[in-house]
Amino acid sequence: MKSSKQPSGNELAAIYERLTESSGRFPTVATIIDGHPMQEFDRDPRTLVAAFAQTSAYADDEAILYGDERYTYRQQYQLAYRLAYQLVHRFGVRPGDRVAFAMRNYPEFPLVFWATQLAGAIAVPLNAWLSSHELAVLVDDCEPAVIFADDERLQRLSSHPHLLAKARGVVAVRCQHPGTNAFSDLVADDSNSAEFLAHQPEPDDVATILYTSGTTGRPKGVLGTHRNHVSTILSVRLRAEALRESRDGTDTDGGGAPQGTTLITFPLFHIAGLTIMTSNTFAGRRVALMYKWDVEDAMRIIAAEQVSELTGPPLVVRQTIEAARTGNYDVSSLTTLGNGGAPAGHKQVRDIVEVFDGRVVPTTGYGLTETTSAVLLNTGAEFVDRPSGIGRLLPTVEIHICDGQGQPVDPGAVGELWVRGPQVAAGYYRLESATEAAFGDGWFRTGDLVIQSADGFVELVGRLKDVIIRGGENVYCAEVESVLEDHPDVIEAAIVGRPHELLGEEVEAVVRLHSGRDIGGDQLIEFAAARLATFKVPRHVTISPEPLPRNAAGKLMKRELISATALKPTPSNYQPTPCSTPAEAQ
């Protein structure tokens, strides 16, 4: 790939500035939201209901692809309205009620989501990967009026009949269960749905409750408003148009581009998957869904459906790259390959550069459930040149980088990232103290540690709780993981703290190798030692034959990893090399 083919950060920034002017297609304006000054988009849509209403213009264009199934925008529109009518008139759903749904990435998922918005209710997508007990905890917390679930999830919830009995209705998706309503029956009844009038919410009404992944504790329900979601939708479309313009060299005034197809690899219950779904639907693009991720199936879909965009966790992107490298698949339609959910290794970015010969724009970003997906973006040539970064602020977003007392740090210093803007959620469901601690004064405290350079570029260092303190020195796990994943034999790596009687903690690595590779832990330690300060180098490496445990976003579940590897304290007769400072301890 020639790097000149990639859009530069300066090019994209100039396009953003023009598109967000008062005369642009995405004008921004200063406003006051919940008593706090910020910038927001000054254009429609203002709510998810308004966003969905605009999709009626796409009529017979295809909206959803799933295996051999096809749904046009007209069909999606009609089915969502039928389902909304049933929610209101059969189950008595009223504005503010919760509608929970747990299923694979079936076409029914977006139908339930949009129908819930039309009914004025709050959509609660539940993590379909959870156990019976974990699902029950979330259902008990949100107290849904209606529950939609596929066969796997209904079987898990069936051991908690009291929770199902509390709902006004339970709807079985692609299956039949005693005492439930069949989804197919609900959407088949079109007797009165044509007369159904969608509820018209206000921008600050709650639209979703999305539960956090729980990597650091019990999941919390994040309250996402209509303003949050449409701000993100418009931000995604702004980025897409800026990228297209930078690549094509023309301003299309928002039209003239082919429909385009996006393959969704994230679970739709995750904020990344949900945002990809809503933003592509608003734009009239096709979304291709999969029962579960399988790289060979994905390659066939890319070729058959001419998929242009794919974003996924690092492992999904890595497998896509490796499949493309073989030359056995037609991936000529791909134009954008995005990494999300967890940091990409340096090698992965370079491989996109090499394998796709400049056609495909690599991209990554930074966002959380609490920020309604990405608020920073690293794209194209800048991502190639600065692969460890999460990029630059998107329009409407403000950040502070603060020390432990909430005071700004100097450029180049490590601090906690605080975010403000219309994308930032309203708080946590029924958790006032947690909301005040995380969202007080209009700023969301992410708990992530970053460095911002003098030119405004941001790099993610690690989490406040993903730091190993070794002999008084901070070791940021993300940095060491990135170095190990740069080794050609390593497919993924995790860094955790190993208890140590003298140093407090020692650096422990768990890695998984590419198939057929047989490198030893000592060699990986030597590899890291050539690239890291001594105190950051792992003192022990465990080779895992299985994929490392991750949540739906692709983030490492380090508590599970620590438990699985049964980390033990280093023997007490361990003696560090004499040193003058803790950082020099060996």
Side-chain angles (χ1 to χ4, degrees):
M1 183 185 93
K2 286 82 174 174
S3 59
S4 60
K5 296 180 182 179
Q6 293 292 323
S8 72
N10 289 335
E11 288 174 329
L12 291 173
I15 297 173
Y16 287 152
E17 184 174 358
R18 177 168 50 77
L19 291 177
T20 56
E21 292 176 347
S22 58
S23 59
R25 295 195 298 279
F26 297 87
T28 59
V29 63
T31 188
I32 302 294
I33 300 174
D34 196 26
H36 304 289
M38 57 188 73
Q39 292 280 323
E40 73 169 338
F41 291 110
D42 188 22
R43 55 157 287 180
D44 292 333
R46 309 287 179 170
T47 69
L48 286 168
V49 171
F52 186 68
Q54 294 187 28
T55 68
S56 63
Y58 306 131
D60 293 322
D61 289 344
E62 288 185 327
I64 304 171
L65 314 177
Y66 179 77
D68 295 331
E69 300 177 33
R70 296 289 188 274
Y71 296 80
T72 66
Y73 272 92
R74 177 179 286 110
Q75 289 172 321
Q76 178 176 248
Y77 195 80
Q78 292 173 342
L79 292 173
Y81 263 88
R82 291 181 192 179
L83 191 55
Y85 179 89
Q86 295 293 328
L87 287 174
V88 172
H89 293 283
R90 180 182 295 219
F91 301 118
V93 169
R94 296 292 179 263
D97 283 347
R98 276 78 59 205
V99 174
F101 39 109
M103 66 185 79
R104 289 185 179 268
N105 281 14
Y106 290 134
E108 286 82 353
F109 192 110
L111 296 179
V112 174
F113 177 84
W114 293 116
T116 302
Q117 303 307 321
L118 296 172
I122 299 172
V124 189
L126 300 177
N127 187 329
W129 295 4
L130 297 181
S131 68
S132 172
H133 171 73
E134 291 168 323
L135 274 175
V137 167
L138 301 190
V139 171
D140 186 50
D141 186 62
C142 69
E143 297 181 308
V146 182
I147 301 172
F148 291 80
D150 61 15
D151 186 55
E152 294 168 275
R153 266 43 69 176
L154 276 175
Q155 289 187 31
R156 294 177 199 175
L157 287 171
S158 63
S159 58
H160 304 273
H162 65 289
L163 293 177
L164 297 178
K166 289 171 65 175
R168 292 174 220 151
V170 177
V171 182
V173 176
R174 300 199 173 217
C175 62
Q176 293 182 342
H177 276 254
T180 67
N181 300 268
F183 182 94
S184 56
D185 290 343
L186 298 185
V187 295
D189 184 356
D190 65 347
S191 55
N192 295 296
S193 60
E195 302 173 5
F196 177 75
L197 296 177
H199 175 77
Q200 298 301 319
E202 295 296 324
D204 290 320
D205 288 347
V206 175
T208 60
I209 298 174
L210 276 74
Y211 284 92
T212 59
S213 55
T215 54
T216 58
R218 175 174 171 165
K220 298 185 288 289
V222 178
L223 298 170
T225 67
H226 286 267
R227 188 192 304 273
N228 298 154
H229 286 284
V230 297
S231 294
T232 293
I233 287 173
L234 291 173
S235 181
V236 171
R237 298 324 312 158
L238 166 64
R239 287 149 41 198
E241 291 200 25
L243 185 57
R244 185 178 66 191
E245 185 175 327
S246 70
R247 295 279 283 180
D248 297 344
T250 58
D251 182 353
T252 62
D253 292 326
Q259 184 185 24
T261 303
T262 295
L263 176 59
I264 299 181
T265 66
F266 282 105
L268 292 174
F269 59 74
H270 182 262
I271 186 61
L274 186 64
T275 294
I276 294 170
M277 183 200 81
T278 56
S279 60
N280 278 274
T281 299
F282 172 69
R285 291 173 57 86
R286 301 195 304 173
V287 295
L289 304 178
M290 301 177 68
Y291 177 77
K292 65 177 182 178
W293 170 255
D294 179 272
V295 66
E296 291 189 3
D297 286 345
M299 293 302 105
R300 285 192 286 268
I301 293 171
I302 290 171
E305 306 297 346
Q306 292 295 283
V307 169
S308 54
E309 295 183 6
L310 183 155
T311 299
L315 287 181
V316 166
V317 176
R318 165 57 53 196
Q319 290 183 345
T320 301
I321 294 168
E322 294 304 323
R325 193 194 297 275
T326 67
N328 297 330
Y329 304 96
D330 177 9
V331 293
S332 59
S333 60
L334 274 179
T335 61
T336 304
L337 188 56
N339 182 91
H346 296 191
K347 184 176 185 298
Q348 185 152 296
V349 182
R350 292 198 300 267
D351 283 349
I352 296 175
V353 171
E354 172 191 336
V355 171
F356 293 97
D357 193 30
R359 294 185 298 100
V360 174
V361 177
T363 183
T364 192
Y366 171 89
L368 304 162
T369 307
E370 290 90 341
T371 63
T372 323
S373 209
V375 289
L376 294 105
L377 197 69
N378 190 7
T379 301
E382 192 158 51
F383 192 19
V384 173
D385 294 336
R386 304 167 85 167
S388 62
I390 53 177
R392 300 182 183 277
L393 292 178
L394 292 167
T396 76
V397 177
E398 298 177 75
I399 63 171
H400 278 170
I401 301 175
C402 303
D403 61 19
Q405 286 71 49
Q407 298 301 310
V409 301
D410 294 330
V414 175
E416 182 187 7
L417 177 63
W418 292 15
V419 181
R420 184 167 73 179
Q423 293 97 324
V424 173
Y428 296 119
Y429 182 58
R430 294 177 175 174
L431 295 172
E432 292 185 9
S433 60
T435 296
E436 179 59 30
F439 295 89
D441 300 324
W443 291 94
F444 173 62
R445 296 146 178 80
T446 68
D448 284 325
L449 298 172
V450 301
I451 295 173
Q452 185 174 33
S453 62
D455 66 352
F457 190 82
V458 180
E459 295 196 24
L460 180 67
V461 177
R463 285 194 58 79
L464 280 172
K465 295 184 179 179
D466 196 17
V467 176
I468 296 169
I469 302 177
R470 180 188 183 275
E473 290 289 336
N474 289 347
V475 178
Y476 300 107
C477 296
E479 178 187 9
V480 185
E481 288 162 355
S482 179
V483 167
L484 288 174
E485 289 174 352
D486 210 28
H487 191 285
D489 290 345
V490 174
I491 191 169
E492 57 179 339
I495 296 297
V496 294
R498 177 176 185 152
H500 191 280
E501 293 183 4
L502 295 178
L503 298 173
E505 289 183 290
E506 188 57 282
V507 183
E508 170 93 11
V510 184
V511 304
R512 182 164 69 100
L513 305 179
H514 286 285
S515 178
R517 308 296 172 86
D518 191 29
I519 192 171
D522 289 344
Q523 293 169 281
L524 290 174
I525 290 172
E526 291 177 5
F527 179 83
R531 292 159 175 80
L532 293 168
T534 301
F535 68 90
K536 300 178 183 179
V537 177
R539 289 307 187 268
H540 185 267
V541 175
T542 298
I543 306 297
S544 173
E546 303 294 332
L548 305 187
R550 295 177 181 269
N551 63 20
K555 294 180 181 178
L556 288 162
M557 304 290 283
K558 294 197 174 181
R559 287 182 298 168
E560 293 185 14
L561 188 63
I562 291 170
S563 176
T565 54
L567 301 180
K568 304 295 184 183
T570 303
S572 58
N573 61 0
Y574 176 89
Q575 294 294 326
T577 301
C579 55
S580 58
T581 68
E584 297 170 358
Q586 301 297 307

